């Protein structure tokens, strides 16, 4: 039997909703707090509690920043008086009294690093535990991707947790890079990459690992319409970063008549990284349901529902029959068909320029990019830049080529390809957890451990690449033989 996590995004998805749903499923809250503390990031406190929305009881997880009145994407208000001129607006009204001893009122427990005790009165029947462990902050510090990855690397967690968290941030950085017309390394996370999003993303990666699921299915993402206000002004929904993530990673949106943003860039990145398969099996059993509360008002309950499912032998047989039927009905596997190849001969770009152009092309959605050495006129050493892409990305990638190289012309031609159906699974080895790409065609299965995952595990375990790679490959083959 295998465990499947199903994220039902009928009211969109955000970081705090995801963490709340996973905690509601049973992820260890205390272990999470210890892992977050190990990153040595200050300037925030965590809220754990329950909230009723449209009659549904859901887990309410919030990250509140100290000292700047930061709103973590919330439309309701909390007020805090810390004696430091701090005020936060987050949704329901609280009155606070400070003391110098640990106290409880109305079942609310508060743990504070500088020994302030809060007695809260809730007007809306919300119940929160506030863990306030990081009181000192510089909330306006801007971090780039390297800074964020350095913070993640300090965390006391498995290589797989850190890899997932880094990948989520890379996806957000790539999307923001495209939205603002900046190189990835120049993107500063003053909005999506502030402390709250670091905590949301890291917490998601940690809780997923804690739940020990074998597969993850993410439903189509419900999104609203209209406009939202951000630091740069008024922008359309879905916001550019979210739209860029959806386009680059094939996320399926379901647009609704709700006014406002339902899918945040952090939520979109989480969906892009977590999904290991597109559809649920033909039959399964619900083990547990978790509800993560959002903080907006829509026509339906603003919650993310997470279901922990278990497949049995009959469910696996049904899924295998459906897969076989799909393969027999299709002439080519998933992700095959007509593509574009674009080429340009270049003799006046530096190696650094060509390397950066390749990175930008991949960030913009290229399926593959490669350089071929050639000799051009007058005996000049040069190269041919080749890019493989889908029709939807062709014009965008042409813009990148013209912007990042010295070429003044691009030739293109259509190409057909047959691609293996593939999925990413996580396997456990004696060296640690490793992600493996499993590819199938007809009755044949091929397992390819992911390079970045193997690399991180080698460094964490102090092992050689070949040993880790072979262990991951064998574990993946064992998994396939057992689960199909």
């Amino acid at each position: 039997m295998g465990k499947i996590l199903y994220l039902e995004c009928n009211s969109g998805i955000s970081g705090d909703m995801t963490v709340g749903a996973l905690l509601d499923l049973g992820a260890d809250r205390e272990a999470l707090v210890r892992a977050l503390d190990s990153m040595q990031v200050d300037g925030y406190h965590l809220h754990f509690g329950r909230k009723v929305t449209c009659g549904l009881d859901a887990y309410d997880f919030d990250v509140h920043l100290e000292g700047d009145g930061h709103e973590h994407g919330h439309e309701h208000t909390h007020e805090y008086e810390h004696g430091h001129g701090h005020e936060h607006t987050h949704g329901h009204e609280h009155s606070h009294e400070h003391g110098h001893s640990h106290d409880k009122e109305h079942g609310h427990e508060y743990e504070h690093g500088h020994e302030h005790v809060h007695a809260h009165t809730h007007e809306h029947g919300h119940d929160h535990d506030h863990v306030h462990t990081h009181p000192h902050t510089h909330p306006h510090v801007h971090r780039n991707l390297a800074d964020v990855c350095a913070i993640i690397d300090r965390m006391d967690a498995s290589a797989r947790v850190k890899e997932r968290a880094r990948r989520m941030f890379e996806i957000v950085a790539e999307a923001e890079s495209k939205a603002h017309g900046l190189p990835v390394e120049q993107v500063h996370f003053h909005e999506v990459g502030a402390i709250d999003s670091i905590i949301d993303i890291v917490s998601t990666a940690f809780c997923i690992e804690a739940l020990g699921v074998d597969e993850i299915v993410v439903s189509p993402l419900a999104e609203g319409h209209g406009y939202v206000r951000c630091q740069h002004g008024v922008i359309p929904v879905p916001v550019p970063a979210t739209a860029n993530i959806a386009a680059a990673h094939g996320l399926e949106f379901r647009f609704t008549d709700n006014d406002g943003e339902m899918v945040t860039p952090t939520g979109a990145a989480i969906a892009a990284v977590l999904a290991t398969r597109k559809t649920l099996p033909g039959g399964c059993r619900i083990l547990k349901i978790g509800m993560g509360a959002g903080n907006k008002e829509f026509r339906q309950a603003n919650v993310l529902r997470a279901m922990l499912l278990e497949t049995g032998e009959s469910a696996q047989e049904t899924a295998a029959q459906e897969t076989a039927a799909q393969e027999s009905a299709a002439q080519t596997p998933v992700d095959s068909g007509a593509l574009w190849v674009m080429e340009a001969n270049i003799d006046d770009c530096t190696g650094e320029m060509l390397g950066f152009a390749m990175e930008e092309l991949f960030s913009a959605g290229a399926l593959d990019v490669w350089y071929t050495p050639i000799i051009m006129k007058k005996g000049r050493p040069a190269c041919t830049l080749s890019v493989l892409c889908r029709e939807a990305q062709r014009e965008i990638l042409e813009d990148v080529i013209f912007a990042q190289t010295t070429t003044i012309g691009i030739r293109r031609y259509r190409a057909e390809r047959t691609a293996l159906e593939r999925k990413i699974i996580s396997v456990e080895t004696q060296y640690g957890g490793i992600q493996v790409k499993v590819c199938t065609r007809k009755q044949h299965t091929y397992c390819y451990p992911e390079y970045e995952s193997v690399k991180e595990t080698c460094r964490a375990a102090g092992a050689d690449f070949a040993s880790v790679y072979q262990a991951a490959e064998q574990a993946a083959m064992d998994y396939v033989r057992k689960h199909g």
Side-chain angles (χ1 to χ4, degrees):
M1 294 186 181
K3 284 201 297 186
I4 296 177
L5 174 67
Y6 177 52
L7 298 180
E8 186 183 71
C9 307
N10 288 339
S11 192
I13 183 171
S14 64
D16 55 340
M17 292 169 72
T18 306
V19 179
L22 298 178
L23 288 170
D24 205 26
L25 275 180
D28 190 333
R29 163 182 157 178
E30 298 305 322
L32 171 62
V33 172
R34 289 194 297 270
L36 295 178
D37 286 346
S38 70
M39 294 192 299
Q40 304 170 39
V41 175
D42 60 12
Y44 70 91
H45 55 274
L46 302 177
H47 291 217
F48 302 89
R50 312 294 305 183
K51 184 168 70 174
V52 176
T53 174
C54 291
L56 299 179
D57 176 64
Y59 200 112
D60 192 15
F61 172 81
D62 287 323
V63 182
H64 291 185
L65 298 189
E66 295 288 339
D68 67 341
H70 175 79
E71 295 188 12
H72 183 34
H74 303 339
E75 293 182 351
H76 49 289
T77 62
H78 290 275
E79 295 181 1
Y80 300 86
E81 298 176 2
H82 290 249
H84 307 298
H86 297 205
E87 181 177 307
H88 298 254
T89 57
H90 286 279
H92 18 269
E93 295 182 1
H94 300 240
S95 63
H96 297 250
E97 297 173 7
H98 290 253
H100 295 283
S101 63
H102 199 76
D103 192 13
K104 291 184 181 180
E105 181 171 334
H106 300 293
H108 309 310
E109 184 174 334
Y110 308 94
E111 301 173 12
H112 286 258
H114 38 248
E115 299 183 356
H116 293 333
V117 176
H118 301 258
H120 291 231
T121 303
H122 295 250
E123 293 190 354
H124 300 295
H126 297 197
D127 185 11
H128 288 264
D129 290 344
H130 296 210
V131 180
H132 181 172
T133 57
H134 306 273
H136 305 294
T137 184
H138 303 282
H140 298 293
V141 172
H142 290 190
R143 295 180 171 93
N144 61 21
L145 181 59
D147 297 327
V148 173
C149 288
I151 291 172
I152 293 171
D153 287 339
R154 292 200 297 261
M155 180 173 51
D156 182 12
S158 71
R160 183 163 53 181
V161 169
K162 290 186 275 191
E163 181 187 352
R164 272 182 173 146
R166 282 194 299 269
R167 183 56 188 143
M168 290 175 195
F169 259 105
E170 288 169 359
I171 287 174
V172 175
E174 291 162 0
E176 292 288 349
S177 167
K178 178 175 173 56
H180 298 296
L182 293 172
V184 171
E185 59 269 22
Q186 292 182 21
V187 173
H188 286 81
F189 296 108
H190 51 277
E191 290 181 29
V192 297
I195 294 172
D196 51 357
S197 284
I198 294 175
I199 301 304
D200 281 350
I201 283 176
V202 168
S203 297
T204 296
F206 186 89
C207 290
I208 287 291
E209 183 85 351
L211 291 173
V213 297
D214 301 303
E215 300 272 14
I216 302 172
V217 178
V218 181
S219 77
L221 311 182
E223 178 60 297
H225 68 277
Y227 297 87
V228 295
R229 183 176 297 278
C230 70
Q231 177 175 336
H232 303 286
V234 177
I235 57 177
V237 174
V239 300
T242 298
N244 290 342
I245 293 171
H249 298 276
L251 300 182
E252 183 179 350
F253 271 27
R254 180 173 59 80
F255 290 98
T256 72
D257 58 356
N258 288 302
D259 186 15
E261 179 186 34
M262 301 174 72
V263 180
T264 67
T266 298
I270 288 171
V273 170
L274 292 188
T276 62
R277 57 183 293 165
K278 291 186 176 181
T279 59
L280 290 170
C284 53
R285 183 167 66 92
I286 299 177
L287 299 179
K288 195 170 183 181
I289 298 173
M291 304 278 267
N295 293 285
K296 298 181 180 178
E297 293 185 4
F298 299 121
R299 289 177 173 83
Q300 73 281 351
N302 185 209
V303 296
L304 175 68
R305 183 162 67 170
M307 298 187 214
L308 199 58
L309 311 174
E310 184 178 62
T311 60
E313 293 181 358
S314 60
Q316 290 178 350
E317 291 173 1
T318 301
Q321 292 171 359
E322 291 177 351
T323 301
Q326 292 171 359
E327 289 181 350
S328 63
Q331 295 299 314
T332 56
V334 174
D335 204 24
S336 300
L339 301 171
W340 284 99
V341 175
M342 298 187 291
E343 294 181 346
N345 293 346
I346 304 171
D347 65 358
D348 54 352
C349 272
T350 66
E352 292 86 351
M353 291 174 65
L354 294 174
F356 182 70
M358 177 180 283
E359 292 178 7
E360 291 296 281
L361 287 164
F362 276 122
S363 296
L367 297 174
D368 203 359
V369 182
W370 67 97
Y371 292 108
T372 306
I374 59 173
I375 301 296
M376 291 180 62
K377 62 185 178 182
K378 301 181 181 179
R380 295 174 183 169
C383 69
T384 297
L385 163 63
S386 301
V387 180
L388 182 69
C389 68
R390 299 183 180 88
E391 172 66 33
Q393 279 75 46
R394 182 181 60 77
E395 186 173 353
I396 294 172
L397 294 171
E398 286 181 341
D399 292 341
V400 173
I401 294 172
F402 283 126
Q404 302 299 340
T405 74
T406 56
T407 190
I408 58 174
I410 303 169
R411 57 189 177 273
R412 64 177 180 268
Y413 53 88
R414 288 191 175 275
E416 295 285 333
R417 79 165 179 177
T418 300
L420 299 181
E421 187 171 339
R422 80 289 307 262
K423 64 180 179 180
I424 300 293
I425 66 171
S426 296
V427 298
E428 286 296 330
T429 71
Q430 65 266 40
Y431 305 103
I434 301 172
Q435 290 190 317
V436 180
K437 184 180 295 179
V438 178
C439 303
T440 58
R441 176 173 171 81
K442 297 179 180 178
Q443 303 303 315
H444 300 285
T445 300
Y446 312 91
C447 297
Y448 303 111
E450 293 284 86
Y451 168 76
E452 291 294 336
S453 186
V454 173
K455 179 182 74 174
E456 291 299 324
T457 301
C458 286
R459 290 176 174 172
D464 66 278
F465 192 93
S467 296
V468 175
Y469 188 97
Q470 291 168 5
E473 187 176 31
Q474 184 60 52
M477 292 302 297
D478 292 342
Y479 176 91
V480 170
R481 280 192 290 269
K482 182 178 179 180
H483 299 285

